[in-house]
């Protein structure tokens, strides 16, 4: 399961990088996400997310139980330590997976919003130029056209402000993705350390088993 979670984090990180940089692959990624969000796609995604949340809650509950058992016994045995490390790593990876999935959803939403804002702003600018080029007529018509032009300029300013806000959100999401990539590298190092500790604990358990078997054989003799 740990290898599967690392693979999911790697895939989600790659998808975030595709969404952040304007490349031909970015269009394919956006089209794929659009299709996922249609039909039964959202139901499937929510079901998978709910399942991961349930497994995450189960892992946290197991860690709490192991901690309580260790407090009652005075010291955690090596088996509990191994289980605690495993549950901790799995819970951390599942949390990172859910967070990256949320980031992908927000990035996709912001990219679509930016496209719509740009199209609206371009349409408003074209309409404004058309009004400016077609200013011929009586004074009342010119006054109405001037008011409409003023309203359109305010709309363009509002759209530009919205576009700037969305761009800042995308930059913030990019910064978060870089931080998550560094955190994933830390998870890999932590995983290697936990594997080494697991092997050491197993060696200690085997040594204890040998000692117990030897002491039992001596008592029998």
């Amino acid at each position: 399961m740990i290898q599967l979670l690392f693979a999911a984090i790697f895939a989600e990180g790659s998808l975030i990088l595709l969404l952040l940089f304007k490349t031909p692959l970015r269009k394919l990624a956006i089209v794929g996400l659009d299709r996922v969000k249609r039909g039964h796609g959202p139901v499937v995604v929510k079901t998978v997310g709910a399942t991961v949340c349930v497994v995450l809650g189960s892992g946290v509950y197991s860690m709490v139980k192991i901690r309580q058992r260790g407090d009652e016994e005075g010291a955690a045995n090596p088996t509990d330590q191994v289980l605690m490390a495993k549950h901790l790593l799995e819970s951390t990876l599942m949390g990172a997976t859910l967070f990256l999935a949320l980031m992908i959803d927000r990035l996709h939403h912001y990219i679509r919003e930016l496209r719509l804002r740009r199209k609206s702003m371009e349409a408003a600018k074209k309409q404004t130029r058309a009004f400016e080029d077609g200013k011929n007529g009586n004074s009342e018509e010119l006054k109405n056209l001037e008011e409409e032009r003023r309203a359109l300029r305010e709309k363009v300013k509002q759209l530009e402000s919205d576009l700037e806000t969305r761009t800042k959100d995308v930059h913030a999401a990019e910064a978060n993705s870089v931080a998550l990539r560094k955190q994933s590298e830390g998870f890999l190092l932590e995983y290697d350390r936990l594997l080494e500790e697991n092997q050491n604990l197993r060696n200690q358990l085997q040594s204890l088993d040998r000692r117990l078997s030897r002491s039992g054989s001596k008592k029998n003799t």
Side-chain angles (χ1 to χ4, degrees), residues 163-180:
L163 179 62
E164 183 179 358
T165 303
R166 298 298 182 184
T167 304
K168 289 180 180 179
D169 292 337
V170 171
H171 290 332
E174 181 180 1
N176 289 334
S177 67
V178 173
L180 279 172

Side-chain angles (χ1 to χ4, degrees), residues 123-125 127-132 134-135 140-156:
K125 286 182 178 180
Q127 194 173 3
T128 303
R129 284 196 297 267
F131 278 121
E132 290 177 351
K135 283 197 315 181
E140 185 176 355
E141 291 177 349
L142 288 175
K143 183 178 180 181
N144 293 332
L145 288 173
E146 188 66 27
E147 291 176 357
E148 290 179 0
R149 188 183 67 173
R150 190 179 301 110
L152 286 172
R153 284 182 176 177
E154 292 177 356
K155 185 178 180 180
V156 169

Side-chain angles (χ1 to χ4, degrees), residues 114-128:
L114 285 173
R115 286 185 173 182
L116 293 175
R117 296 291 181 181
R118 286 194 182 102
K119 289 181 181 179
S120 299
M121 188 171 61
E122 289 174 0
K125 286 182 178 180
K126 288 180 181 179
Q127 194 173 3
T128 303

Side-chain angles (χ1 to χ4, degrees), residues 73-93:
E73 294 176 359
N77 56 56
T79 303
D80 287 344
Q81 291 179 0
V82 172
L83 291 175
M84 185 74 171
K86 180 183 177 183
H87 288 310
L88 177 60
L89 180 59
E90 288 179 351
S91 300
T92 304
L93 293 177

Side-chain angles (χ1 to χ4, degrees), residues 62-71 80 83-84 87:
S62 298
M63 286 190 291
V64 172
K65 295 293 289 183
I66 292 171
R67 185 66 178 272
Q68 291 177 351
R69 187 166 59 246
D71 292 338
D80 287 344
L83 291 175
M84 185 74 171
H87 288 310

Side-chain angles (χ1 to χ4, degrees), residues 5-200:
L5 289 172
F6 272 114
I9 290 174
F10 179 79
E12 289 176 339
S14 301
L15 184 57
I16 288 173
L17 290 178
L18 288 178
L19 292 175
L20 289 177
F21 299 101
K22 193 174 182 180
T23 59
L25 293 176
R26 180 183 181 179
K27 294 182 179 179
L28 293 176
I30 293 174
V31 171
L33 290 174
D34 288 336
R35 291 182 178 178
V36 169
K37 290 185 177 181
R38 295 173 185 170
H40 298 289
V43 177
V44 175
V45 172
K46 290 179 181 178
T47 303
V48 174
T51 304
V52 174
C53 289
V54 171
V55 176
L56 177 60
S58 176
V60 173
Y61 178 77
S62 298
M63 286 190 291
V64 172
K65 295 293 289 183
I66 292 171
R67 185 66 178 272
Q68 291 177 351
R69 187 166 59 246
D71 292 338
E72 291 174 359
E73 294 176 359
N77 56 56
T79 303
D80 287 344
Q81 291 179 0
V82 172
L83 291 175
M84 185 74 171
K86 180 183 177 183
H87 288 310
L88 177 60
L89 180 59
E90 288 179 351
S91 300
T92 304
L93 293 177
M94 283 186 284
T97 303
L98 291 174
F99 184 75
L100 287 175
L102 180 61
M103 280 194 60
I104 291 172
D105 180 71
R106 290 295 89 196
L107 277 174
H108 178 247
H109 175 73
Y110 290 147
I111 289 171
R112 291 184 63 185
E113 285 290 329
L114 285 173
R115 286 185 173 182
L116 293 175
R117 296 291 181 181
R118 286 194 182 102
K119 289 181 181 179
S120 299
M121 188 171 61
E122 289 174 0
K125 286 182 178 180
K126 288 180 181 179
Q127 194 173 3
T128 303
R129 284 196 297 267
F131 278 121
E132 290 177 351
D133 295 338
K135 283 197 315 181
N136 51 3
N138 54 33
S139 58
E140 185 176 355
E141 291 177 349
L142 288 175
K143 183 178 180 181
N144 293 332
L145 288 173
E146 188 66 27
E147 291 176 357
E148 290 179 0
R149 188 183 67 173
R150 190 179 301 110
L152 286 172
R153 284 182 176 177
E154 292 177 356
K155 185 178 180 180
V156 169
K157 289 181 180 179
Q158 182 65 32
L159 289 172
E160 289 176 348
S161 177
D162 293 341
L163 179 62
E164 183 179 358
T165 303
R166 298 298 182 184
T167 304
K168 289 180 180 179
D169 292 337
V170 171
H171 290 332
E174 181 180 1
N176 289 334
S177 67
V178 173
L180 279 172
R181 195 192 318 164
K182 293 181 180 179
Q183 188 177 8
S184 297
E185 293 174 357
F187 288 158
L188 289 173
L189 294 175
E190 181 67 13
Y191 178 60
D192 292 335
R193 186 183 68 79
L194 289 172
L195 283 178
E196 184 178 355
E197 290 183 1
N198 186 10
Q199 187 61 38
N200 292 332

